[in-house]
Amino acid sequence: MSVTSYRRIVIGDVHGHYEGLMRLLDAIAPASDDQVYFLGDLIDRGPQSAQVVNFVKDSPYQCLLGNHEQMLLNILTKRIPTPTVQAWLYSGGQATVASYEEATIPHDHLEWFDNLPTYIDLGDIWLVHAGVNPFIPLTEQTANQLCWVRDEFHSIEEPYFSDKLMIIGHTITFTLPGVPPGQLAQGQGWLDIDTGAYHPRSGWLTGLDITNNLVYQANVLKNCIRISPLEEIVTTVNPKQFHVNRRNKCLA
């Protein structure tokens, strides 16, 4: 049992799976004083992005900016080349547009995305969508780096923070060296909880109860729930196994 009066809960990339999210939250059963955080990538790939955004936006929970929200903002608010728009549609954007009534994303959703933070500092825990550029100080990190970074962060051999655990999403854990589908991935000072809800090799949407070291998972393909102690469902990643041209680099 927790020694505090509330739990801190972090939820990985939902990617439009509203029904799976509802099953996950039913299992977690957040109390009114529990603190719930989303790591971003609420949208794209799954069938109900609009419903997910409506729910999180109107909830008391906090949410980070993910690279998929950033892509959507860039496409709708800037002059973006056609190939980039097509790449976003191919990466799940088409499902997002289809989930909105009359295929129109409302202004209040775009405004909400535009105001999402790129990280949240909880003192001993630091939440970010993708990670950090390990070679520059925090004050110089850009939104692109915090939303998109992969191998150069995952391969760090020393924690970026000496006193904080970084919890991330963005990269599906089974694309990291030696991590089976559905497992969380632990690196040097970081923990990845994006278990690939949308991906046919996994289907697991993950919520981490930091306070009690419990992992809640809803499988969107099999409509089932499992609850595991963190130490039983995490795989440690060896940073020396990384290389720049990793075959599955573009997943997630």
Side-chain angles (χ1 to χ4, degrees):
M1 294 294 292
S2 170
V3 296
T4 65
S5 60
Y6 64 88
R7 295 177 295 169
R8 294 185 297 177
I9 296 156
V10 184
I11 296 176
D13 304 32
V14 180
H15 279 304
H17 283 283
Y18 175 77
E19 293 179 3
L21 175 60
M22 293 301 100
R23 283 194 295 273
L24 181 66
L25 289 173
D26 283 346
I28 296 172
S32 59
D33 56 349
D34 287 340
Q35 299 173 356
V36 179
Y37 305 91
F38 288 81
L39 292 178
D41 278 8
L42 300 180
I43 63 170
D44 292 353
R45 304 192 189 279
Q48 296 175 303
S49 289
Q51 292 91 325
V52 173
V53 175
N54 273 321
F55 173 78
V56 178
K57 175 178 172 293
D58 295 336
S59 76
Y61 309 142
Q62 296 187 56
C63 184
L64 292 173
L65 180 71
N67 64 300
H68 282 260
E69 287 85 22
Q70 188 190 51
M71 280 194 291
L72 174 61
L73 283 171
N74 287 342
I75 285 165
L76 295 185
T77 62
K78 299 178 181 179
R79 291 185 176 181
I80 300 296
T82 298
T84 303
V85 176
Q86 291 173 336
W88 171 69
L89 291 171
Y90 179 77
S91 299
Q94 190 168 4
T96 294
V97 173
S99 72
Y100 281 91
E101 186 174 349
E102 298 182 356
T104 301
I105 300 173
H107 177 74
D108 64 321
H109 282 204
L110 296 176
E111 186 175 40
W112 184 72
F113 292 149
D114 196 36
N115 286 287
L116 291 175
T118 52
Y119 67 87
I120 298 173
D121 188 348
L122 301 178
D124 58 329
I125 302 291
W126 204 79
L127 308 178
V128 66
H129 180 65
V132 295
N133 181 326
F135 307 113
I136 64 175
L138 182 59
T139 54
E140 296 177 19
Q141 302 282 338
T142 67
N144 277 349
Q145 289 160 336
L146 299 176
C147 289
W148 285 95
V149 70
R150 292 194 195 273
D151 285 0
E152 62 186 331
F153 169 71
H154 297 133
S155 60
I156 58 175
E157 298 188 18
E158 297 285 340
Y160 187 80
F161 295 115
S162 62
D163 59 346
K164 304 175 191 288
L165 172 65
M166 197 179 302
I167 300 180
I168 65 171
H170 182 54
T171 299
I172 297 177
T173 55
F174 72 69
T175 70
L176 298 171
V179 183
Q183 288 263 315
L184 279 61
Q186 176 85 55
Q188 293 299 307
W190 56 265
L191 180 67
D192 184 353
I193 69 168
D194 178 11
T195 43
Y198 77 87
H199 200 284
R201 281 190 61 193
S202 174
W204 291 107
L205 173 62
T206 293
L208 171 63
D209 175 351
I210 305 168
T211 307
N212 299 297
N213 286 328
L214 282 176
V215 178
Y216 294 79
Q217 294 181 302
N219 194 292
V220 307
L221 304 176
K222 300 177 181 178
N223 298 331
C224 63
I225 292 286
R226 68 183 182 189
I227 304 170
S228 312
L230 175 59
E231 65 270 16
E232 294 181 5
I233 201 163
V234 64
T235 298
T236 300
V237 175
N238 181 352
K240 296 184 184 300
Q241 291 180 279
F242 283 86
H243 53 86
V244 173
N245 294 316
R246 186 162 53 88
R247 184 170 65 86
N248 290 321
K249 185 178 180 181
C250 293
L251 282 176

